[in-house]
Amino acid sequence: MTPVNPMDLGFLLLERRNQPMHVGGLILARPPTDAGADYAQRLIADMLQFKQAEAPFNQRLQRRAGVWCWTQDEDFDLEAHVYHLSLPEPGRIRELLALVSKLHSSLLDRSKPLWEAYVIEGVQDGRIALYIKVHHALVDGVAAMRLMQRVTSEDPAAELVAPWALPPRERRAESGDTHGSALTALVDAASQFRRHAGSAKTVATEVLRSIRARKSDPDYVSVFQAPRSLFNQRISGSRRFAAQSYGLDRIRQAATRHQATINDIVLAMCGSALRRYLLQLGDLPDKPLIAMVPVSVRRDDSDGGNQVAMILANLATHLDDPLERLDMTVRSVNHSKERFARLSQGEILAYMSTVMAAHGANIALGINPGWQAFNVIISNVPGPKNPMFWNGAAVEGVYPVSIPIDGAALNITLNSYADNLEFGLIGCRRTLPHMQRLLAYLDEGLDALC
C-alpha cells in the first residue's frame, strides 16, 4: 500500500461531480481490407485475453487512517473496465464525438482502478475507434500520449497489446520535450507554494515588475489582467468534445512566412477562432483573452524531473487584423520567456505557485470576480512522428480528450501525429453553446496566415 503523492492527491481533491478529473484519448483507425465483418468482435475477444493488469491499471484507492493510498485490486474484474459499443448508422464522426462527449462526462468509480476503455465499431466507412479514459491521478497528458504510442506500432503486422497489460515505465520528463500537461503544471505549482516560500522576495519583485511593465507596455501580460469572459464560469458536469486534424505543412508554411514558430501559429489560430466564436455570441470582451500555456524551462541535458512552467500568452482577440494578432501574441510569449530567463528554476516555480494559488483561491472563494489569471488552457503534447497501426488497422487520428475546470470551461489540447496536428477541444456543454463551430474557425484562422 502506497500513499498517494501530493500532486496526484491534488487531482483527487479537485474532483467533483461537475469536474471529473480524468484525461482521455481517442484513436480512429481503418481495419485492413481483408479484416472481415467480425473484425471488431475478434478484436475485443483478443483484448479480453489480457486479463492481468499491470500498474497503475491494477491499483485502486483505499483510505487508511485518513490518508488516501494506492493498493492492488485483489478482485480485479477486466470486464468492468473494457466495453464494446457500436454507433447507430450511418456512424458519422459527429455521432462518434457525441458518444465520447457523453462517456467523458461521467465520473470513474473509485471502488475500482480508475480507468475505462471502449472499442467502438460502426464508424462510417468501416472504421473503428478506441476511447480510453484514465484518472489524472494515475497519468498526465504526456503519459497518456505515450501509452497510446505503446499500444500502436509502425509495423502493421505487430501483435496486439492491450494498454492495461503493458509493463509500467518510469514516470519522467524527457529531455527535448517542449510542452507538458497544463493541469499537471497547474497542480504542481499550487502544491509547491509553501515549499518555495523562501523565494517570496524575488517573486514579489517580479510580480510588481510585471504590473508596472503592463502600464507602459501593452504586450506585457501581467497577473490578473485577463478579462471576465464566457469561458470563466463555474461549469456543469456535461461535456462536449470536438476534434479535427490540421496539416502540419500548412502550419509550417505559415510559420516560415511570418518568421514565427509552430506554437506561435497554433496560438494565433486559437485566438482567431475564439474571437470569431465570441463575436457570434455577442460576448467578445473589449480586452484580449489570455491563454495559459505550459512550456519547458529545462536548462540542462538531464532527462529526469518535472521542469514545466506556464506562460500567460496574449491572444490579442481585441484586434481585427490576423497579422496584428499574431505579432502581439508572439511579443507576449517572448516577454514571458524573458521573465523566466531572469529567474532560477526554484524562483520560476515559486512565481507560478503564487499566481496559480491566488487564481485558484479566487475561483473557489469568489474573492474578486474581476481577477482572472487566464481565460483558456492551450496545451501541446508531442505525438508519433510516423503513421502507426493498431492490430493491423491504420491509425488515421489520435485525439486528446482533456479536462475543463471551474473558471476555465474550455480546454484546447493538441498533439502531433505523422503529418498533422490533432486538436481535441473539450468544454462544458451548458456553458459553451455550439462549441464545435470552433473547428471551422480554427481552419479559417490558419487560412488567414497562409
Side-chain angles (χ1 to χ4, degrees):
M1 187 174 295
T2 306
V4 177
N5 71 48
M7 182 187 292
D8 295 339
L9 181 62
F11 292 115
L12 294 171
L13 295 177
L14 281 171
E15 186 164 66
R16 297 182 293 279
R17 175 60 195 95
N18 73 315
Q19 192 168 276
M21 295 302 293
H22 48 256
V23 292
L26 175 67
I27 291 179
L28 182 63
R30 186 178 298 277
T33 54
D34 60 350
D38 63 343
Y39 177 81
Q41 288 86 346
R42 289 187 286 110
L43 175 60
I44 278 284
D46 290 342
M47 293 178 73
L48 290 175
Q49 296 301 310
F50 293 89
K51 295 189 180 297
Q52 185 64 43
E54 297 284 345
F57 294 96
N58 63 352
Q59 303 293 303
R60 67 175 180 84
L61 285 170
Q62 182 172 336
R63 203 173 181 92
R64 176 69 63 87
V67 177
W68 283 111
C69 300
W70 296 115
T71 185
Q72 185 168 333
D73 187 0
E74 301 296 341
D75 299 314
F76 180 77
D77 179 6
L78 183 59
E79 293 186 4
H81 295 271
V82 182
Y83 303 91
H84 180 194
L85 302 178
S86 181
L87 292 178
E89 292 185 354
R92 295 170 298 182
I93 295 299
R94 179 187 303 175
E95 278 79 39
L96 175 63
L97 298 182
L99 175 59
V100 172
S101 300
K102 187 169 294 186
L103 296 174
H104 206 68
S105 299
S106 60
L107 291 167
L108 288 163
D109 183 353
R110 291 196 178 189
S111 68
K112 61 184 184 181
L114 297 174
W115 64 276
E116 292 175 352
Y118 297 81
V119 174
I120 305 165
E121 65 173 323
V123 185
Q124 203 167 37
D125 298 329
R127 290 173 292 179
I128 60 171
L130 172 66
Y131 163 70
I132 300 178
K133 65 178 184 180
V134 186
H135 202 284
H136 211 321
L138 289 181
V139 299
D140 63 17
V142 174
M145 176 52 60
R146 289 176 183 155
L147 176 68
M148 289 292 195
Q149 289 180 250
R150 293 179 70 197
V151 301
T152 58
S153 172
E154 294 182 28
D155 179 7
E159 293 185 2
L160 171 71
V161 179
W164 57 88
L166 291 166
R169 294 174 62 179
E170 182 182 355
R171 294 175 68 176
R172 62 187 179 90
E174 292 186 359
S175 179
D177 282 357
T178 56
H179 293 270
S181 162
L183 288 171
T184 297
L186 185 62
V187 172
D188 188 41
S191 69
Q192 298 199 52
F193 182 76
R194 292 180 63 188
R195 193 184 315 168
H196 295 287
S199 302
K201 183 177 180 180
T202 302
V203 170
T205 299
E206 193 58 41
V207 170
L208 290 173
R209 179 186 287 135
S210 72
I211 294 172
R212 288 195 297 268
R214 174 61 186 166
K215 293 179 180 179
S216 60
D217 187 345
D219 298 328
Y220 207 97
V221 181
S222 66
V223 181
F224 296 135
Q225 79 170 64
R228 292 291 292 177
S229 76
L230 181 68
F231 306 119
N232 310 119
Q233 307 177 44
R234 292 191 178 277
I235 61 174
S236 73
S238 182
R239 298 288 175 264
R240 186 186 295 275
F241 176 60
Q244 183 67 51
S245 301
Y246 301 90
L248 262 172
D249 282 346
R250 289 175 65 202
I251 296 172
R252 288 193 186 102
Q253 288 171 10
T256 300
R257 179 178 180 181
H258 300 291
Q259 296 182 318
T261 68
I262 287 176
N263 295 305
D264 292 334
I265 300 300
V266 166
L267 290 175
M269 290 171 62
C270 293
S272 177
L274 295 175
R275 172 184 164 83
R276 173 78 183 277
Y277 176 75
L278 292 176
L279 275 174
Q280 280 220 328
L281 296 175
D283 204 8
L284 179 69
D286 293 332
K287 295 180 180 180
L289 296 182
I290 305 299
M292 189 268 278
V293 186
V295 296
S296 172
V297 293
R298 189 176 301 279
R299 296 174 180 170
D300 54 38
D301 296 327
S302 67
D303 60 358
N306 182 0
Q307 297 185 33
V308 177
M310 294 169 290
I311 64 169
L312 299 176
N314 186 333
L315 298 180
T317 48
H318 62 306
L319 300 177
D320 181 58
D321 186 277
L323 297 185
E324 291 182 9
R325 284 201 302 272
L326 173 63
D327 286 345
M328 180 168 280
T329 297
V330 171
R331 292 196 300 269
S332 76
V333 169
N334 289 338
H335 272 311
S336 292
K337 291 179 179 178
E338 290 168 6
R339 178 186 307 163
F340 285 153
R342 291 193 294 269
L343 305 175
S344 68
Q345 288 180 341
E347 289 167 346
I348 291 171
L349 290 172
Y351 181 86
M352 291 166 51
S353 301
T354 302
V355 173
M356 296 310 163
H359 173 79
N362 187 49
I363 292 297
L365 303 175
I367 298 169
N368 186 338
W371 286 359
Q372 194 73 37
F374 57 88
N375 303 105
V376 62
I377 297 171
I378 302 175
S379 186
N380 188 346
V381 180
K385 295 181 180 180
N386 299 311
M388 307 294 281
F389 294 86
W390 175 49
N391 195 43
V395 174
E396 295 187 347
V398 182
Y399 304 99
V401 194
S402 194
I403 305 173
I405 57 175
D406 276 335
L410 175 65
N411 185 310
I412 301 175
T413 301
L414 56 141
N415 56 251
S416 54
Y417 172 61
D419 297 325
N420 293 318
L421 280 184
E422 317 274 54
F423 280 68
L425 283 64
I426 188 78
C428 172
R429 188 183 189 93
R430 179 170 295 180
T431 305
L432 307 179
H434 310 295
M435 191 197 77
Q436 69 276 11
R437 293 177 181 172
L438 285 167
L439 299 178
Y441 301 159
L442 283 166
D443 196 60
E444 292 172 6
L446 179 55
D447 277 341
L449 298 173
C450 289

